[in-house]
Amino acid sequence: MADGDGSPLDETLRRWELEQAQLKTSVKEEDTEEWQKNATFEGLERVGGVDLSYVEGNQPQACASLVVLSYPDLQVLYEDCRVVDVRAPYVPGFLAVREGPVLVEAVQRLLEQEPSLSPQVLLVDGNGVLHYRGFGVACHLGVLTGLPCVGVAKNLLHVDGLAKDELHKEQIRDLQMGGDTFPLMGASGRVLGMALRSCDKSTKPIYVSVGHRMSLESAVRLVQSCCRHRIPEPIRQADIRSREYLRKHPPSPAGTAHPGPERRDEGTEPKH
DNA sequence: GCGACAG
DNA sequence: ATCTTGTCGC
């Protein structure tokens, strides 16, 4: 994206790029799970979802949430919400740098503490290979957790010629019912993902792309089978619960780091 | 050159 | 991402 002019920001972006490129290199042949091979996903029992909720716009504190739902009935089996520090800023193309670390931690906690509840696949809020460098947050999480991952974005990332142009809008209008899709083919000719009308109610599609250890076809079918609303239930629950958790456990403003539950003063200014 | 740009 | 009121529909 940016040409190197030597600015500190540029340096940082280049470093992030290299780190991600390194991770991408470690991706091996797409090995898939047994349950992906049959049309009804027999053998699939647990689907995970992750999301972050923020306080205002740029506070370091956020709530990271990981939920695991039963499949196919989509009942919550596991929930983990906690306030975390998010250091990196949001930079389009580098969402994984911002949200990846805390989400990986959440997954690893589950794998260690409740392995029997481990998700067999993870739905991620963001893109997979539908990404500037073919390595979105869903790929990133997949590599670092080893779990099959699917990227689910609520908005189209403009990459490889894809854009919300007239053609795109027309294709959206042609989506008649829940389950309808159209491929997202970049100028390179490669299919980077699928636009999916996830339910009858909403006319705005979601954008599904491969994250890790799964085919696009399976990914789309899986996501659609998890949709009671526009957003697939695992991600939706993670979103709802992280937001609720923040509301109930408001992080202290700034600098007031450690749990300082007590404040004596009622007003800002001591009256004299 | 400017703008567009997952969350 | 987050801030917002009402409103339409099952």
Side-chain angles (χ1 to χ4, degrees):
Chain A
M1 300 235 83
D3 292 298
D5 64 0
S7 72
L9 178 56
D10 250 15
E11 286 301 314
T12 303
L13 295 187
R14 291 215 170 278
R15 182 160 48 80
W16 288 350
E17 248 179 61
L18 286 177
E19 289 169 2
Q20 291 199 302
Q22 199 104 37
L23 282 184
K24 188 177 179 181
T25 298
S26 71
V27 175
K28 301 182 179 180
E29 274 307 299
E30 292 292 324
D31 60 315
T32 64
E33 301 279 331
E34 276 303 310
W35 55 262
Q36 294 179 34
K37 296 179 181 173
N38 51 72
T40 58
F41 294 134
E42 283 175 66
L44 177 58
E45 297 177 347
R46 295 173 309 280
V47 181
V50 288
D51 189 40
L52 289 197
S53 288
Y54 298 88
V55 174
E56 289 173 6
N58 275 329
Q59 299 294 298
Q61 285 99 349
C63 177
S65 131
L66 163 63
V67 299
V68 179
L69 307 197
S70 60
Y71 188 90
D73 19 323
L74 309 178
Q75 300 301 305
V76 177
L77 301 176
Y78 174 91
E79 167 184 5
D80 175 21
C81 290
R82 64 184 64 203
V83 172
V84 297
D85 275 351
V86 173
R87 304 169 189 180
Y90 168 66
V91 179
F94 295 97
L95 178 63
V97 174
R98 177 170 167 83
E99 302 194 339
V102 294
L103 293 179
V104 170
E105 277 182 34
V107 172
Q108 286 175 343
R109 264 197 306 275
L110 171 55
L111 297 184
E112 288 169 17
Q113 296 171 11
E114 292 285 352
S116 64
L117 290 181
S118 296
Q120 293 157 288
V121 57
L122 197 58
L123 303 191
V124 181
D125 207 341
N127 291 301
V129 300
L130 175 49
H131 182 265
Y132 301 127
R133 299 173 302 282
F135 200 74
V137 64
C139 304
H140 195 105
L141 284 189
V143 169
L144 292 182
T145 63
L147 292 175
C149 287
V150 179
V152 179
K154 296 181 285 296
N155 293 95
L156 179 64
L157 182 62
H158 295 197
V159 49
D160 194 16
L162 293 172
K164 298 173 196 146
D165 50 23
E166 268 314 312
L167 169 60
H168 187 74
K169 290 172 183 171
E170 186 185 324
Q171 290 176 307
I172 289 178
R173 284 194 294 270
D174 287 342
L175 299 175
Q176 296 297 316
M177 50 188 275
D180 285 355
T181 64
F182 64 85
L184 299 166
M185 188 171 64
S188 65
R190 188 162 175 232
V191 174
L192 301 174
M194 287 280 219
L196 166 69
R197 174 160 182 170
S198 55
C199 63
D200 293 327
K201 293 214 60 163
S202 178
T203 159
K204 182 175 181 178
I206 56 181
Y207 300 93
V208 178
S209 59
V210 168
H212 192 57
R213 296 176 59 194
M214 176 139 63
S215 70
L216 179 56
E217 293 66 33
S218 293
V220 171
R221 266 197 309 129
L222 174 64
V223 168
Q224 218 264 315
S225 70
C226 287
C227 284
R228 288 179 173 168
H229 305 281
R230 183 169 86 105
I231 305 303
E233 213 52 24
I235 291 179
R236 183 165 170 273
Q237 286 303 322
D239 177 76
I240 290 173
R241 284 154 198 261
S242 63
R243 196 176 307 209
E244 179 64 12
Y245 189 91
L246 266 194
R247 195 177 65 78
K248 193 175 177 185
H249 308 272
S252 39
T256 318
H258 307 297
E262 206 165 304
R263 295 228 49 170
R264 294 180 59 240
D265 49 300
E266 309 259 301
T268 31
E269 295 233 333
K271 288 185 200 164
H272 186 206

